[in-house]
């Protein structure tokens, strides 16, 4: 609960601060907090991914982009009142809707009683891998992961094409960005 | 009092919704493109929370089968979010590359300045 509140505070700071370097640093802190929350929610594999990919690679990517562009945000040119009103209104409606959801941490909710339960019961018989997340990712949903790899490959090629176009041979920067895309 | 009790039981969802609308607010109200991309990743982070929160079972352990443990948290959201994180970073990389290209072409990363530049041409 403390971690979640901290995350909300950091988000407010991200909205307010106009120095983009500070915003990127705050985003890194946000990702680490997110990873801690995931640990608390028993999602250890996801927490590891978030700490390395979210806090590591995306921070590096954003710093690279800031190095190639500008690091200050211009002051707002139009009124912020209407977006704030719309955001608060939508938030209030969503909170009202979420009150009907089942409470936190219960075992007998519809989410936890069907497919996830079946995976846990069958995984040792089917795949003989104790880590259920790994088994589902690589075995039951292998094609999904293959498609994900295709997406990352496409993104890497896209970044490479975008950054090398119109700059000729002297494009050192895109090597790093493309490497980051592949590593994830 | 009952409302307060409801909110503490759904605190994860409340924070999820807060992050979600903060992300959308940044995307809508800020014209700086890098800030917009950061808003988009905050929105994505809220979706991670939305998926992972219902899968947690109090008293459960991470879903790694071992002796002596009976209750495991739901592994399926973890798998889906694992994929989503990696794809999110890939799209972020493409977005940042686009911003770099726009900065090379227009000398600005503010959306309205770029639009004004386009109208002049």
């Amino acid at each position: 609960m403390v971690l979640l509140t901290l995350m909300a505070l950091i988000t407010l700071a991200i909205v307010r601060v106009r120095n983009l370097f500070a915003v990127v640093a705050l985003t890194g802190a946000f990702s680490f907090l997110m990873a801690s929350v995931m640990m608390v929610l028993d999602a250890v594999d996801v927490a590891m991914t978030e700490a390395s990919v979210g806090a590591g690679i995306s921070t590096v990517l954003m710093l690279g982009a800031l190095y190639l562009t500008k690091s200050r945000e211009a002051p707002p040119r139009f009124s912020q009142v209407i977006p704030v009103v719309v955001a608060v209104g939508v938030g209030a409606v969503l909170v009202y809707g979420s009150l009907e959801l089942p409470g936190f941490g219960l075992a007998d909710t519809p989410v936890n009683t069907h497919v996830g339960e079946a995976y846990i019961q069958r995984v040792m018989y089917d795949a003989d891998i104790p880590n259920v997340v790994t088994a589902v990712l690589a075995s039951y949903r292998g094609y999904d992961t293959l498609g994900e790899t295709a997406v990352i490959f496409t993104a890497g090629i896209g970044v490479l094409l975008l950054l090398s176009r119109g700059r000729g041979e002297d494009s050192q920067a895109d090597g790093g960005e493309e490497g980051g895309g592949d590593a994830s | 009092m009952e409302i307060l009790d409801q909110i503490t039981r759904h605190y994860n969802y409340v924070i999820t919704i807060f992050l979600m609308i903060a992300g959308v607010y940044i995307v809508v109200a800020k014209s700086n493109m890098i800030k917009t991309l950061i808003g988009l990743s905050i929105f994505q982070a809220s979706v991670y929370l939305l998926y992972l929160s219902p899968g947690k079972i109090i008293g459960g352990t991470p879903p790694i089968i071992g002796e002596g443990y009976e209750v495991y948290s739901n592994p399926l959201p973890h798998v889906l979010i694992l994929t989503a994180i990696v794809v999110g970073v890939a799209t972020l990389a493409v977005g940042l590359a686009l911003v770099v290209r726009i900065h090379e072409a227009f000398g600005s990363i503010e959306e309205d300045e770029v639009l004004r530049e386009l109208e002049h041409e």
Side-chain angles (χ1 to χ4, degrees), chain A residues 74-122:
Chain A
R77 284 191 192 71
F78 50 89
S79 166
Q80 310 276 307
V81 176
I82 297 177
V84 169
V85 170
V86 171
V88 171
V90 172
V93 171
L94 285 175
V95 168
Y96 176 69
S98 77
L99 291 182
E100 293 291 309
L101 288 172
F104 175 71
L106 303 175
D108 53 352
T109 56
V111 178
N112 292 332
T113 43
H114 296 289
V115 187
E117 190 69 43
Y119 276 136
I120 290 174
Q121 276 161 7
R122 294 175 44 183

Side-chain angles (χ1 to χ4, degrees), chain A residues 1 39-43 102-109 112, chain B residues 8-12 52-62 69-74 78:
Chain A
M1 206 153 176
M39 282 297 289
V40 176
L41 292 175
D42 282 352
F104 175 71
L106 303 175
D108 53 352
T109 56
N112 292 332
Chain B
T8 47
R9 273 204 306 152
H10 296 88
Y11 194 67
N12 278 44
L52 292 177
S53 300
K56 163 76 179 167
I57 296 171
I58 287 179
T61 60
Y69 296 104
E70 292 295 326
V71 185
Y72 301 101
S73 291
N74 193 346
H78 303 181

Side-chain angles (χ1 to χ4, degrees), chain A residues 54-77:
Chain A
I57 292 174
S58 58
T59 310
V60 170
L61 285 178
M62 279 195 256
L63 283 178
L66 281 186
Y67 173 70
L68 294 172
T69 57
K70 294 172 178 161
S71 63
R72 280 209 75 80
E73 183 191 358
R77 284 191 192 71

Side-chain angles (χ1 to χ4, degrees), chain A residues 1 4-5 7-8 11 14-15 17 20 23 27 30 34 37-38 40 42-46 49-50 53 58 61-62 65-66 68-70 73-74 77-78 80 83-84 87 91 94-95 98-99 101 104-105 107 111-112 115-116 119-120 130 132-133 136-137 141 148 152 155 159 162-163 165 167 184, chain B residues 6 9-13 15 17-19 21-22 25-26 29-30 32 34-35 38 42 45 48-49 52-58 60-65 72-76 78-83 85-87 89-90 92-94 96-101 103-104 107-110 112-113 116:
Chain A
M1 206 153 176
L4 288 167
T5 315
M7 263 168 67
T11 313
I14 289 177
V15 173
V17 172
L20 288 178
V23 169
T27 315
F30 178 86
M34 191 68 181
V37 170
M38 286 164 174
V40 176
D42 282 352
V44 279
D45 309 72
V46 191
T49 314
E50 172 73 19
V53 173
S58 58
L61 285 178
M62 279 195 256
L66 281 186
L68 294 172
T69 57
K70 294 172 178 161
E73 183 191 358
R77 284 191 192 71
F78 50 89
Q80 310 276 307
V84 169
L94 285 175
V95 168
S98 77
L99 291 182
L101 288 172
F104 175 71
V111 178
N112 292 332
V115 187
Y119 276 136
I120 290 174
V132 186
V133 175
V136 176
L137 190 76
R141 298 178 66 92
E148 174 200 343
I152 295 164
V159 170
L162 276 171
L163 288 182
R165 189 173 154 266
R167 220 197 274 174
S184 60
Chain B
Q6 285 275 20
R9 273 204 306 152
H10 296 88
Y11 194 67
N12 278 44
Y13 298 118
I15 294 293
I17 289 164
F18 176 78
L19 294 184
I21 60 171
Y25 171 76
I26 294 176
K30 306 281 176 181
N32 185 298
I34 289 186
K35 199 82 176 270
I38 290 175
I42 289 178
Y48 307 158
L49 258 189
L52 292 177
S53 300
K56 163 76 179 167
I57 296 171
I58 287 179
T61 60
I64 300 171
I65 307 286
Y72 301 101
S73 291
N74 193 346
L76 195 57
H78 303 181
V79 178
L80 300 179
I81 294 308
L82 216 52
T83 312
I85 288 177
V86 177
V87 170
V89 169
L92 179 73
V94 175
L96 287 174
L98 276 172
V99 171
V100 170
R101 279 296 298 156
H103 182 257
E104 278 176 10
S108 166
I109 51 170
E110 300 289 329
D112 39 2
E113 284 174 13
R116 217 180 307 138

